[in-house]
Amino acid sequence: MNHTTLQMFKIVAEEQSVTKAAKRLGRVQSNITTRIQQLEEELGVALFMRDSKKMTLSPEGVSFLSYAQKILSLAEEARQALHPGKPAGALKIGSMEATAASRLMPVFQQFHGQCPEVSLSLKTLPTQQLLERVRNASLDCALVSLLPDAEGIIECPPDLEFVNVFNESLVLLTPASVSHDEVRLAAFPKGCSYRARGEALLNIQAAEVQDVSSYHSMVANLAAGRCSCVLPESVAATLVLPQDTRQQFVTQALTQLVWRKGYSSPALEAMKQVLASASNL
């Protein structure tokens, strides 16, 4: 078992295909197949369930992937730690769709200008899914919106650390032709913190929520007179809304940058500094 083999295993797991993994890694398929077989022999388990179309992780493979991701992340952290004054290597960052849509372009432009040797990648998901990926080292850090408790206090999960970055004004968008209690909520899948706020605001259950995958889909449901939406005002300002849309401020919501407790790298520290300079707090 070595770093290269673990990287191959991770990419095959992501692509569910040796062919796609080989293309992504720039290697021949036979080399990857041999490495995976050798890894399975070393571990004494089948990591994949194979059929004619794809390779999916076995239960043992799912468990091992979590360890492989942590090992690869720790190796990258160690490599960067040897050159603390020069951010380089990779930084895998996650973000809510809202933050990516309205905040990240100037942040990433500034970061790339200051840290051109860092390979920056972005994954957009709802908050709860992002937190899980930071925990299992699929991501180095993520921009999320942690929900406050009943007293309005935001507490970070014990295995993570965070810093507040942005303050968002959340607005409720509703078709003007209907009342708030006559429409459903259009929102991102369960795990989205803005969805949770919308459910509480409108006092509705999950069954009354129309899942969408983008803000354009959200606006389409709004235009159809079917759904209300809760989203940051900064995002609403970037969208073309139906003319008869009612817009009402409902609450403030903080966006945080979170990372694994104890994790540090020059690239992460540089990102913290860039986000601090872009913060509206």
Side-chain angles (χ1 to χ4, degrees), residues 7-54:
Q7 184 67 19
M8 288 181 179
F9 164 70
K10 175 178 173 289
I11 299 302
V12 173
E14 291 174 353
E15 298 291 346
Q16 296 187 332
S17 165
V18 170
T19 302
K20 292 180 180 179
K23 184 176 181 180
R24 181 170 161 185
L25 292 167
R27 290 177 174 266
V28 296
Q29 296 181 40
S30 59
N31 177 253
I32 295 178
T33 298
T34 299
R35 291 288 192 109
I36 296 298
Q37 291 174 342
Q38 290 173 343
L39 180 60
E40 290 179 319
E41 290 173 4
E42 181 179 351
L43 296 172
V45 297
L47 297 172
F48 292 96
M49 296 182 290
R50 298 163 171 85
D51 61 35
S52 59
K53 294 184 178 180
K54 63 181 180 180

Side-chain angles (χ1 to χ4, degrees), residues 2-275:
N2 58 38
H3 183 278
T4 301
T5 300
L6 292 178
Q7 184 67 19
M8 288 181 179
F9 164 70
K10 175 178 173 289
I11 299 302
V12 173
E14 291 174 353
E15 298 291 346
Q16 296 187 332
S17 165
V18 170
T19 302
K20 292 180 180 179
K23 184 176 181 180
R24 181 170 161 185
L25 292 167
R27 290 177 174 266
V28 296
Q29 296 181 40
S30 59
N31 177 253
I32 295 178
T33 298
T34 299
R35 291 288 192 109
I36 296 298
Q37 291 174 342
Q38 290 173 343
L39 180 60
E40 290 179 319
E41 290 173 4
E42 181 179 351
L43 296 172
V45 297
L47 297 172
F48 292 96
M49 296 182 290
R50 298 163 171 85
D51 61 35
S52 59
K53 294 184 178 180
K54 63 181 180 180
M55 296 174 64
T56 56
L57 289 171
S58 66
E60 294 82 3
V62 171
S63 177
F64 185 70
L65 178 60
S66 176
Y67 289 103
Q69 289 170 331
K70 291 175 182 177
I71 292 169
L72 291 169
S73 179
L74 186 61
E76 176 64 19
E77 181 182 351
R79 193 191 68 77
Q80 292 192 35
L82 297 177
H83 306 280
K86 188 177 182 181
L91 183 65
K92 299 169 293 183
I93 185 168
S95 172
M96 298 180 293
E97 190 70 35
T99 307
S102 63
R103 302 288 184 186
L104 286 190
M105 186 174 71
V107 168
F108 280 10
Q109 286 178 328
Q110 182 180 346
F111 182 86
H112 179 65
Q114 295 179 3
C115 308
E117 295 187 25
V118 175
S119 175
L120 189 65
S121 62
L122 174 67
K123 181 72 174 180
T124 56
L125 287 168
T127 286
Q128 291 305 314
Q129 288 87 324
L130 288 171
L131 293 175
E132 185 57 34
R133 294 207 177 195
V134 172
R135 287 189 176 98
N136 67 24
S138 296
L139 296 172
D140 298 315
C141 58
L143 289 155
V144 303
S145 184
L146 299 171
L147 292 171
D149 61 20
E151 298 179 355
I153 299 174
I154 295 175
E155 292 187 2
C156 189
D159 54 345
L160 302 175
E161 298 179 78
F162 80 93
V163 61
N164 292 321
V165 180
F166 301 116
N167 186 32
E168 300 289 359
S169 297
L170 299 189
V171 294
L172 173 67
L173 305 182
T174 306
S177 58
V178 295
S179 63
H180 295 330
D181 58 359
E182 293 178 326
V183 294
R184 305 172 71 195
L185 177 70
F188 286 100
K190 196 169 179 63
C192 172
S193 59
Y194 296 156
R195 171 186 176 134
R197 288 178 170 92
E199 289 175 345
L201 174 70
L202 299 175
N203 192 28
I204 61 175
Q205 304 300 314
E208 301 174 89
V209 179
Q210 174 66 51
D211 285 358
V212 297
S213 59
S214 70
Y215 281 110
H216 291 94
S217 297
M218 195 177 290
V219 171
N221 278 279
L222 179 69
R226 298 178 55 207
C227 297
S228 293
C229 315
V230 173
L231 69 163
E233 187 177 33
S234 60
V235 175
T238 69
L239 301 171
V240 179
L241 302 176
Q243 292 185 352
D244 64 344
T245 300
R246 288 196 302 256
Q247 181 168 315
Q248 173 189 350
F249 168 78
V250 289
T251 189
Q252 300 291 140
L254 289 170
T255 299
Q256 296 87 15
L257 179 73
V258 299
W259 60 93
R260 294 184 302 284
K261 192 170 186 177
Y263 173 77
S264 179
S265 73
L268 175 60
E269 295 307 311
M271 178 57 73
K272 289 181 190 177
Q273 293 177 10
V274 171
L275 286 167

